[in-house]
Amino acid sequence: MNIAEYSIRRKTSSWLLLFILLIGGVVSLLQLGRLEDPHFTLKKAMVITQYPGASSQQVEEEVTYRLENAIQSLSYVDHITSISKPGLSQITVEMKSIYRADDLAQIWDELRRKIHDAQGMLPPGVGTPIVKDDFADVYGVLMAITGDGYEYQDIADYADYLRRELVLIDGVGKVTLSGEQQEQVMVEVSRSQLANVGIPPARIAQLLTTQNAVADAGRVMVDKEAMRFATSGEFTSVDELANLVISNPGAEERIYLRDVAHIYRDYGEIPQHLVRFDGEQSIWLGLSFANDVNVVEVGERIKQRLQQLDYARPAGMTLHAIYDQPKEVANSVQGFLLNLLEAVAIVILALLLTMGFRSGVLIGVVLLLTVLGTFIFMLLQGINLQRVSLGALIIALGMLVDNAIVIAEGIVMGMRQGMSKLQAAVNVTRQNQWPLLGATIIAIIAFAPIGLSKDATGEFAGSLFWVLLISLLLSWFTALTLTPFLADRLFSNKDIAEQQNNDSESLYAHPIYRRYRQLLTWCVSHRAIAIGSMLGLLVVAVLGFSQVKQSFFPPSTTPLFYVDMWYPQGTDIRATSEDVKRAEQFMKAQPEVENVSTTIGQGAPRFTLTYLVEKQYESYAQLIVRAQSTEQLEQLLPRVRSYIAQEHPDVEDKLIRLEIGPATPAKIEARFSGPDPKVLRELSGKAQDILRADGGAVNIRDDWRQRTKVLRPIFHEAAARKLGITKEDVNNLLLTNFVGRTVGIYRDGTDLLPILIRPPAQERADLDNWQDLQVYSSVLQDFVPLSQVVKRIEVDWENPLIMRRDRKRTLTVMADHDILTDETAAQVFNRVRPKLEAIPLPIGYQLTWGGEHEASAKAKKALFGALPLGFLAMFIITVLLFNSLRLAGVLWTTVPLSIIGVTLGLLVLDKPFGFMALLGFLSLSGMLIKNGVVLLEQVNVELSQGKAAYQALIDASVSRVRPVSMAAITTILGMLPLLFDDFFASMAVVIMFGLGFATILTLFVVPVMYAIVQRVKA
């Protein structure tokens, strides 16, 4: 029994299928998870190692170099980049993009083992390397806690309370706090009082270190009971610390620490990281989501829990939203669903207007059921509603009606020729079911390079392929089952009988058909002119394509932007914090600004997938500014740039729009690698001169930053040996005087506070009076002036940052295109590239490219890696469908010719050709082949009826005008909502204009090429 006959005769089964798709689709839509972007794993980890007192070069050579060698032995590694700075090594390890989240847990374990094994090669004084494999976590809810009039500790206590409560919410993965300040116990020891009592400073340091240490004192059995020894003496309060006895051994007089020192609790004088909200001190609270959750629902749970916990919020403390991903996702998904509904409505309206009421309703119902059925399979496969999957549904809309149009059109034509509804349905499905399946598979395979890519591209955009696979296969199934069933319900024999006529000429007597027949006859008769004209247009289009703008990904429409402010390298974080207050005040004064959040010393927690987290730099600050709307944001940006140029002339600033695609430190990056820092800086200078001369490049800088001053005390070794003073004694004295030296740990419940020892403020020498400092001599049992063991303090210069990439010293020159103009980064890059590559490089030095160029090349390489196999599969299917290489070749001639329409659309609408446009072109090729298959299959049907080749070609082409045109029109109209979405706009233009022109190719070029290849005579 034919599948169409089964669906018509077994009405109960067909109604059951219809209601399963209808009700199941609605229920699935409500249950589908909602995300902003597809789930994507950043395959990066950081290895952070402290080396106090070491220069950047010592850190590089003694720590970074050894750890890099150990890491590089892992076969999973793609790139290793490192920053060596005084006292700190930061290594970023990026694994190959073929690995997924399930693989990374084991990879990070192996990384830790490699680091652990390498620890034995590190010099004394190096801290334990810390491996941070959660570096890529996304904290989609980022809030700021402020309290006007409250001390920092009050805000910190409330933030810690919220962290403990919010982490228990179902669907919340992690909760992190940013901007926390390290509290410490300050012990300010008076050197004069210490000298009066004859106690060496080392004794106090030793007592503070050992007195509060936790050690095992053993246990004893008493009457069969095991009892543990726990010696008293640990500090339980600062007062107890003040009562520490520091008398020399054997001394009769009891001297307490409070007699020679002032003890109190305070926060570190030099903070590591500062955050503010609208200029007020704050702590930021970030929440990440568990995997495979509906972030909108989790966001509601967070909101409800915060309302429940409001009773514990101190009056005057406020929670502000810096970024609310659930709200953004709700708006985004709502907008996409609205686009989807608009597209469905547009397609159905077009069908009603062009195919008649009954046919339009039939195909519209089948389209709606196919979309709803797709939601069922998305739920089963764990595909969430997000930017890519919803975009895929809109892209598929036009193609979803293709199969139904062919079947419905065939049934109508069969009935007009006198067949019954059942007979017409059986005939049309028997003729078209396998050609339509082949054409559908070809359209699906066009997207296979995306879904089957093992690269990061496949992970991010893979749902595009899977949603299209599900929806297009489902559209083929519903076309063969529900379309005949609904045709039997909707089509009236009486209405069709009025138009019934066995003469095929009368069936296509409309002026449009007659005009098309005349034009096609002329083209087939003058095939050389027709093909020559197309080739001429193709040459023009290829030349015109060079004028199309190139861009990787567009910026987001979220009204959020960042202001990066880089102060001169060496600027103290306190000076950075103080100066950036002026910029905060300016931002707050702008009417377009909703709020401004500031992070100083490092980037914010990663709150979106594309946010680039800047590492620790004291001279760095970033303002995260939210405007009222995207339009107001564009008005605000020029004013912000002008303000910073005038009021902060020593700052290297950068305005950054929120990105949709992969984020890079700069759009244009030229990496110079080589051994000598001096040569690298010379090459950087030449490259920056070229970029400045271009005029289109902005934010020009390099990542090694400026060289900085270093104070170098000249140690008098002979005098020091005579006095019994070591270099370590001098270093400890300077550290104690200017910063404070950590000598122990104070336990306060769950908090471990470092104990810092330093002189009182009145005894602390400044740099001008360093000779007045007193260093203790254990030989003389007395203090001696520092000038006796230090000849002088010289000012020297050093490279504060040494960057490496893949174990080579690498200096990266960075620049961006001006986001306030229409010029793209690719246009600027193409201009400066030959000039930068012309810079003569010494032997042992090389230039490589990063930035958007590298990211785009990686994505395209991954895409094109699977492309040949996909196109080969498509070609094989076309050969198998027609059992002819020549006919397959006829179909494929239309693919390159579609560039004509693509170029025209991009130039007319001034859209760039980027990664999404490339995906659009791939999908376009599948649509073209699919339409061509439908036409050539009809030629075979006409030939099987005994017609001459010429007549069969003309009649088949005329009979395919409406199905091919309707398929194109519905696809083009379905794309309209995507024109207004920045992420999909370029793809929509490529498909709309490419398919519009390709319809002409299918209806004219394919028949002409068929006539040429098959030698059909007019």
Side-chain angles (χ1 to χ4, degrees):
M1 184 183 291
N2 180 279
I3 188 169
E5 183 180 358
Y6 180 90
S7 64
I8 292 173
R9 293 190 184 278
R10 302 291 182 89
K11 294 180 175 57
T12 303
S13 300
S14 298
W15 279 117
L16 180 63
L17 173 62
L18 189 150
F19 281 109
I20 287 174
L21 294 177
L22 179 63
I23 298 171
V26 173
V27 172
S28 298
L29 175 61
L30 297 176
Q31 293 183 355
L32 279 171
R34 285 161 169 77
L35 297 173
E36 185 173 21
D37 290 300
H39 181 68
F40 181 77
T41 308
L42 292 173
K43 302 152 188 71
K44 292 183 179 180
M46 283 188 68
V47 181
I48 302 173
T49 312
Q50 302 276 354
Y51 191 7
S55 68
S56 55
Q57 185 170 339
Q58 289 173 320
V59 170
E60 178 204 24
E61 295 172 347
E62 299 175 25
V63 178
T64 303
Y65 174 80
R66 288 175 167 83
L67 293 179
E68 283 179 343
N69 284 345
I71 296 168
Q72 195 69 56
S73 63
L74 288 170
S75 60
Y76 318 104
V77 172
D78 188 12
H79 290 294
I80 299 175
T81 56
S82 65
I83 305 172
S84 298
K85 55 197 294 188
L88 182 66
S89 166
Q90 299 177 83
I91 301 174
T92 303
V93 189
E94 184 173 357
M95 299 303 172
K96 293 174 183 174
S97 56
I98 60 173
Y99 298 110
R100 299 292 185 258
D102 295 338
D103 306 316
L104 289 178
Q106 180 182 346
I107 291 174
W108 299 144
D109 285 343
E110 290 191 39
L111 173 64
R112 283 188 171 86
R113 286 199 293 272
K114 291 290 183 183
I115 296 298
H116 181 268
D117 293 343
Q119 278 183 243
M121 298 184 293
L122 300 180
V126 175
T128 302
I130 300 171
V131 178
K132 295 181 65 177
D133 59 11
D134 61 351
F135 173 69
D137 286 348
V138 177
Y139 297 92
V141 173
L142 187 60
M143 297 179 287
I145 305 172
T146 61
D148 187 20
Y150 282 93
E151 296 292 332
Y152 170 82
Q153 187 58 47
D154 298 324
I155 301 175
D157 290 342
Y158 179 58
D160 189 58
Y161 168 75
L162 287 181
R163 174 169 57 181
R164 295 196 306 270
E165 294 293 334
L166 296 180
V167 76
L168 302 176
I169 297 174
D170 184 31
V172 171
K174 297 180 182 177
V175 180
T176 186
L177 296 180
S178 294
E180 291 180 289
Q181 303 304 306
Q182 176 63 62
E183 192 179 10
Q184 51 199 18
V185 176
M186 304 300 301
V187 179
E188 294 187 345
V189 180
S190 170
R191 187 171 55 248
S192 58
Q193 293 179 6
L194 204 60
N196 289 337
V197 296
I199 297 175
R203 174 162 178 75
I204 294 179
Q206 181 188 14
L207 287 172
L208 290 173
T209 301
T210 58
Q211 181 76 12
N212 211 34
V214 175
D216 185 13
R219 72 179 203 177
V220 67
M221 186 174 72
V222 178
D223 296 332
K224 300 183 180 180
E225 183 179 359
M227 303 181 70
R228 183 178 66 85
F229 289 108
T231 309
S232 66
E234 293 182 19
F235 309 128
T236 58
S237 69
V238 172
D239 292 337
E240 286 190 18
L241 183 62
N243 291 328
L244 176 66
V245 178
I246 61 171
S247 308
N248 286 320
E252 294 183 3
E253 185 180 5
R254 183 174 295 180
I255 301 172
Y256 299 96
L257 183 59
R258 64 172 181 265
D259 296 330
V260 297
H262 173 48
I263 302 104
Y264 61 96
R265 291 171 63 154
D266 198 3
Y267 291 98
E269 212 173 299
I270 307 174
Q272 297 292 317
H273 183 205
L274 295 169
V275 296
R276 293 197 285 263
F277 184 85
D278 279 344
E280 297 183 44
Q281 72 168 354
S282 68
I283 291 179
W284 291 0
L285 184 74
L287 288 80
S288 68
F289 299 102
N291 293 331
D292 299 323
V293 296
N294 186 328
V295 298
V296 178
E297 293 179 358
V298 178
E300 284 298 317
R301 289 199 284 270
I302 293 171
K303 190 176 179 180
Q304 291 172 7
R305 186 58 180 150
L306 285 173
Q307 290 174 349
Q308 294 169 0
L309 297 174
D310 195 57
Y311 73 90
R313 177 174 59 85
M317 274 194 200
T318 312
L319 267 76
H320 311 269
I322 298 174
Y323 192 80
D324 187 353
Q325 192 182 86
K327 182 179 177 181
E328 300 290 345
V329 169
N331 293 337
S332 176
V333 171
Q334 183 179 358
F336 267 111
L337 288 175
L338 184 61
N339 286 345
L340 183 61
L341 289 174
E342 289 174 354
V344 170
I346 289 170
V347 170
I348 292 175
L349 182 61
L351 292 168
L352 291 172
L353 293 175
T354 55
M355 297 199 66
F357 179 77
R358 292 179 185 272
S359 295
V361 169
L362 185 154
I363 298 171
V365 169
V366 172
L367 169 65
L368 186 61
L369 291 173
T370 304
V371 171
L372 291 173
T374 302
F375 291 139
I376 297 174
F377 288 97
M378 287 174 63
L379 181 65
L380 294 175
Q381 293 299 315
I383 301 173
N384 297 309
L385 291 177
Q386 27 79 1
R387 188 193 309 275
V388 175
S389 62
L390 282 165
L393 277 172
I394 298 175
I395 292 168
L397 273 183
M399 293 185 284
L400 294 184
V401 299
D402 291 0
N403 295 326
I405 287 174
V406 172
I407 299 298
E409 177 81 358
I411 293 173
V412 170
M413 290 304 170
M415 292 173 68
R416 286 180 182 175
Q417 292 172 358
M419 300 180 190
S420 67
K421 285 186 284 188
L422 178 60
Q423 186 181 2
V426 169
N427 284 349
V428 74
T429 52
R430 182 183 294 119
Q431 289 175 8
N432 291 286
Q433 59 183 345
W434 302 122
L436 286 179
L437 178 61
T440 300
I441 291 175
I442 286 171
I444 292 170
I445 291 175
F447 291 91
I450 308 165
L452 302 180
S453 171
K454 294 183 179 180
D455 195 78
T457 309
E459 187 176 5
F460 183 79
S463 58
L464 186 73
F465 167 73
W466 295 111
V467 170
L468 284 162
L469 171 72
I470 293 167
S471 60
L472 290 179
L473 284 178
L474 189 59
S475 76
W476 174 78
F477 176 73
T478 54
L480 298 183
T481 54
L482 292 180
T483 303
F485 168 69
L486 292 172
D488 183 58
R489 302 282 91 193
L490 291 172
F491 288 170
S492 166
N493 285 319
K494 181 181 177 182
D495 294 338
I496 301 297
E498 293 175 0
Q499 306 168 16
Q500 180 176 324
N501 195 313
N502 291 325
D503 184 2
S504 62
E505 290 290 337
S506 299
L507 293 176
Y508 299 103
H510 193 280
I512 292 178
Y513 290 114
R514 290 202 303 269
R515 185 60 178 162
Y516 169 68
R517 183 184 293 272
Q518 292 169 1
L519 288 173
L520 180 60
T521 302
W522 186 92
C523 288
V524 173
S525 301
H526 302 81
R527 55 196 72 175
I529 297 175
I531 297 301
S533 301
M534 285 296 166
L535 292 176
L537 286 174
L538 177 61
V539 172
V540 173
V542 171
L543 294 175
F545 193 79
S546 62
Q547 303 302 313
V548 174
K549 293 190 294 186
Q550 304 289 314
S551 176
F552 189 29
F553 277 105
S556 170
T557 54
T558 303
L560 198 72
F561 71 98
Y562 317 124
V563 184
D564 279 358
M565 300 180 68
W566 291 91
Y567 289 82
Q569 186 64 27
T571 303
D572 191 284
I573 190 172
R574 291 164 289 186
T576 304
S577 173
E578 192 62 32
D579 190 75
V580 83
K581 287 179 180 178
R582 296 190 292 133
E584 290 172 334
Q585 295 300 322
F586 169 80
M587 296 295 179
K588 286 174 60 182
Q590 305 311 301
E592 299 92 345
V593 172
E594 188 173 306
N595 57 61
V596 54
S597 310
T598 310
T599 174
I600 304 153
Q602 67 182 58
R606 191 187 306 278
F607 56 90
T608 69
L609 187 63
T610 58
Y611 177 74
L612 192 66
V613 182
E614 199 59 72
K615 299 180 179 66
Q616 289 185 358
Y617 301 96
E618 287 193 41
S619 58
Y620 172 77
Q622 183 184 68
L623 280 65
I624 303 171
V625 184
R626 179 176 283 275
Q628 304 284 352
S629 67
T630 306
E631 293 74 19
Q632 291 183 338
L633 180 147
E634 292 172 353
Q635 298 170 8
L636 179 64
L637 288 174
R639 211 180 312 144
V640 172
R641 176 181 289 177
S642 176
Y643 161 78
I644 294 178
Q646 293 176 10
E647 300 297 327
H648 302 267
D650 60 335
V651 168
E652 295 176 359
D653 67 294
K654 180 180 178 180
L655 303 182
I656 310 170
R657 292 281 299 271
L658 191 65
E659 298 278 347
I660 291 179
T664 55
K667 295 295 183 183
I668 302 169
E669 295 181 0
R671 301 190 187 112
F672 293 98
S673 299
D676 190 345
K678 183 178 179 182
V679 175
L680 292 176
R681 287 191 179 276
E682 290 174 356
L683 293 172
S684 169
K686 293 176 182 178
Q688 291 188 48
D689 289 342
I690 292 171
L691 290 167
R692 291 191 180 93
D694 177 74
V698 297
N699 309 327
I700 301 164
R701 63 206 186 281
D702 69 54
D703 61 349
W704 282 43
R705 312 278 293 136
Q706 301 88 357
R707 299 182 74 208
T708 56
K709 298 173 184 175
V710 59
L711 299 172
R712 200 176 300 284
I714 306 303
F715 187 58
H716 196 321
E717 191 169 345
R721 291 290 176 268
K722 185 177 179 181
L723 295 172
I725 295 172
T726 65
K727 179 185 173 184
E728 183 181 5
D729 294 331
V730 173
N731 287 338
N732 285 338
L733 172 66
L734 294 172
L735 176 64
T736 303
N737 182 79
F738 291 104
V739 179
R741 182 161 62 99
T742 302
V743 295
I745 291 294
Y746 172 78
R747 293 176 179 81
D748 183 11
T750 58
D751 296 326
L752 300 177
L753 311 184
I755 301 174
L756 261 70
I757 188 170
R758 68 178 181 183
Q762 64 273 15
E763 292 187 17
R764 261 177 263 158
D766 57 25
L767 190 58
D768 293 333
N769 301 312
W770 65 268
Q771 297 93 340
D772 297 337
L773 289 172
Q774 302 285 316
V775 57
Y776 188 81
S777 168
S778 56
V779 173
L780 302 179
Q781 297 288 304
D782 199 1
F783 291 94
V784 298
L786 181 61
S787 57
Q788 290 190 18
V789 292
V790 172
K791 299 177 182 177
R792 60 190 179 277
I793 296 181
E794 295 181 349
V795 178
D796 203 353
W797 293 87
E798 69 173 352
N799 290 307
L801 304 171
I802 298 178
M803 308 292 192
R804 292 163 63 93
R805 181 180 176 83
D806 293 333
R807 298 182 296 171
K808 297 178 183 177
R809 285 177 174 171
T810 303
L811 183 150
T812 303
V813 177
M814 298 178 285
D816 296 283
H817 68 294
D818 192 344
I819 63 171
L820 305 184
T821 67
D822 291 332
E823 194 170 44
T824 65
Q827 289 173 307
V828 178
F829 174 75
N830 291 333
R831 276 203 310 271
V832 301
R833 180 178 184 175
K835 299 175 184 177
L836 289 172
E837 290 180 345
I839 296 174
L841 299 177
I843 296 174
Y845 293 81
Q846 65 183 75
L847 167 64
T848 56
W849 294 103
E852 185 179 277
H853 171 76
E854 180 185 49
S856 177
K858 279 185 176 180
K860 290 175 181 176
K861 179 182 177 183
L863 189 64
F864 286 114
L867 196 60
L869 188 60
F871 272 27
L872 178 63
M874 292 166 68
F875 185 76
I876 290 172
I877 292 172
T878 55
V879 172
L880 294 176
L881 280 174
F882 299 104
N883 195 29
S884 170
L885 278 172
R886 290 190 294 178
L887 291 183
V890 169
L891 293 176
W892 281 89
T893 56
T894 60
V895 174
L897 290 174
S898 64
I899 295 173
I900 302 169
V902 171
T903 301
L904 177 65
L906 293 174
L907 289 176
V908 168
L909 295 183
D910 194 31
K911 295 293 184 183
F913 187 84
F915 184 70
M916 296 306 293
L918 177 60
L919 299 187
F921 184 75
L922 294 180
S923 66
L924 179 63
S925 64
M927 297 176 193
L928 297 182
I929 301 298
K930 184 178 181 183
N931 287 340
V933 166
V934 171
L935 193 153
L936 292 188
E937 181 60 30
Q938 187 62 32
V939 174
N940 288 341
V941 172
E942 301 288 342
L943 288 172
S944 68
Q945 295 175 359
K947 292 184 180 180
Y950 176 79
Q951 191 63 40
L953 177 61
I954 299 298
D955 288 349
S957 301
V958 172
S959 71
R960 294 296 91 186
V961 167
R962 186 153 77 158
V964 171
S965 299
M966 282 309 305
I969 290 170
T970 52
T971 301
I972 291 169
L973 293 177
M975 288 286 109
L976 281 175
L978 290 187
L979 274 180
F980 306 99
D981 184 280
D982 285 347
F983 187 69
F984 287 104
S986 294
M987 174 187 276
V989 170
V990 167
I991 293 175
M992 290 173 71
F993 281 80
L995 189 59
F997 189 81
T999 304
I1000 300 173
L1001 298 179
T1002 303
L1003 294 177
F1004 287 98
V1005 175
V1006 170
V1008 172
M1009 287 300 300
Y1010 181 91
I1012 293 172
V1013 170
Q1014 297 294 92
R1015 298 181 178 88
V1016 176
K1017 294 183 179 180

